[in-house]
């Protein structure tokens, strides 16, 4: 309908999202929580690959971000935020379980003492790693999800590749900087050069993995959208 000034008024359609009534969201949430818990354990080990300094969870953590992208695109920011909070609540619960396991009295023979030392060495640093992940992932993934949804409000169903890549760059940088600042001392990184290496390698690696998996992420998003009965239904 023409406006009083003679120009046409076009209202931009609201971005389309799905409700969480189907089983797909629950499956993705469960996988995200497991990936996060396992990456927290792996991150307690420092890893040196030639000149590259990273941690044992480096190959797992990007998967959590990819899942976050899918949930943000399909279900929206509020649902993705609930998934983030739920995943970290489970991570905190896992960390509490590790602490209880460590403090429980064990066998006092040589094997029992060696086993206790091994468990303390493997799971002892995890609470600080969980704290690092909690602050980093909460900030980074929230920013990532918020940017993706805001971009979707402007572009609609178009430019999914741009949404995935643009939001990932900002989210991964915030995540990596916060996580490395807290977790570096736990895995034995104490000098400035190693810390910068740790941050840059983590950021470049995580972002590169997300970029590499963008075609697959696009396919997964499209597959779920087609099978979500409520997608785009007001």
């Amino acid at each position: 309908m023409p406006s009083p000034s003679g120009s046409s008024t076009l209202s931009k359609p609201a971005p389309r999202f799905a409700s969480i009534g189907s089983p797909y969201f629950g499956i993705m949430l469960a996988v995200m929580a497991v990936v996060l818990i396992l990456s927290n354990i792996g991150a307690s080990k420092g890893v040196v690959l030639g000149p590259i300094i990273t941690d044992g969870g480096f190959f797992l953590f990007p998967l959590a971000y990819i899942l976050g992208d899918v949930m943000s695109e399909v279900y929206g920011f509020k649902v993705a935020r609930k998934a983030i909070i739920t995943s970290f609540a489970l991570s905190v619960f896992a960390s509490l379980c590790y602490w209880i396991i460590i403090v429980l009295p064990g066998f006092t023979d040589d094997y029992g003492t060696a086993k206790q030392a091994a468990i303390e060495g493997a799971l002892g640093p995890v609470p600080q790693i969980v704290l690092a992940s909690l602050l980093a992932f909460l900030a980074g993934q929230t920013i990532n999800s918020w940017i993706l949804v805001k971009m979707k409000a402007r572009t609609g169903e178009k430019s999914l590749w741009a949404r995935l890549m643009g939001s990932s760059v900002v989210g991964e940088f915030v995540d990596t900087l916060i996580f490395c600042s807290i977790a570096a001392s736990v895995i034995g990184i104490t000098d400035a050069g190693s810390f910068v290496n740790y941050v840059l390698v983590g950021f470049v690696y995580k972002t590169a993995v997300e970029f590499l998996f963008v075609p697959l992420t696009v396919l997964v998003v499209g597959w779920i959208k087609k099978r979500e009965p409520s997608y785009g239904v007001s």
Side-chain angles (χ1 to χ4, degrees), residues 162-185:
R163 292 197 293 278
L164 294 173
M165 298 174 76
S167 61
S168 294
V169 170
V170 180
E172 289 289 12
F173 179 76
V174 172
D175 180 288
T176 305
L177 183 61
I178 295 175
F179 178 82
C180 292
S181 298
I182 299 173
S185 61

Side-chain angles (χ1 to χ4, degrees), residues 92-102 123:
V92 171
F93 174 71
S95 183
L96 176 62
C97 290
Y98 301 149
W99 176 78
I100 293 174
I101 292 169
I102 289 173
L123 302 181

Side-chain angles (χ1 to χ4, degrees), residues 83-134:
I84 296 168
I85 295 172
T86 301
S87 296
F88 273 100
L90 293 173
S91 293
V92 171
F93 174 71
S95 183
L96 176 62
C97 290
Y98 301 149
W99 176 78
I100 293 174
I101 292 169
I102 289 173
V103 300
L104 285 173
F107 297 144
T108 57
D109 58 3
D110 291 343
Y111 178 79
T113 302
K115 179 67 71 173
Q116 176 70 18
I119 291 176
E120 290 179 2
L123 302 181
V126 167
Q128 188 169 337
I129 296 294
V130 170
L131 174 63
S133 293
L134 176 62

Side-chain angles (χ1 to χ4, degrees), residues 112-159:
T113 302
K115 179 67 71 173
Q116 176 70 18
I119 291 176
E120 290 179 2
L123 302 181
V126 167
Q128 188 169 337
I129 296 294
V130 170
L131 174 63
S133 293
L134 176 62
L135 297 178
F137 192 71
L138 190 63
Q141 183 65 281
T142 300
I143 290 173
N144 176 80
S145 177
W146 183 82
I147 291 175
L148 190 150
V149 172
K150 285 294 183 181
M151 292 179 69
K152 185 174 182 178
R154 297 175 63 89
T155 61
E157 294 296 306
K158 300 178 180 179
S159 305

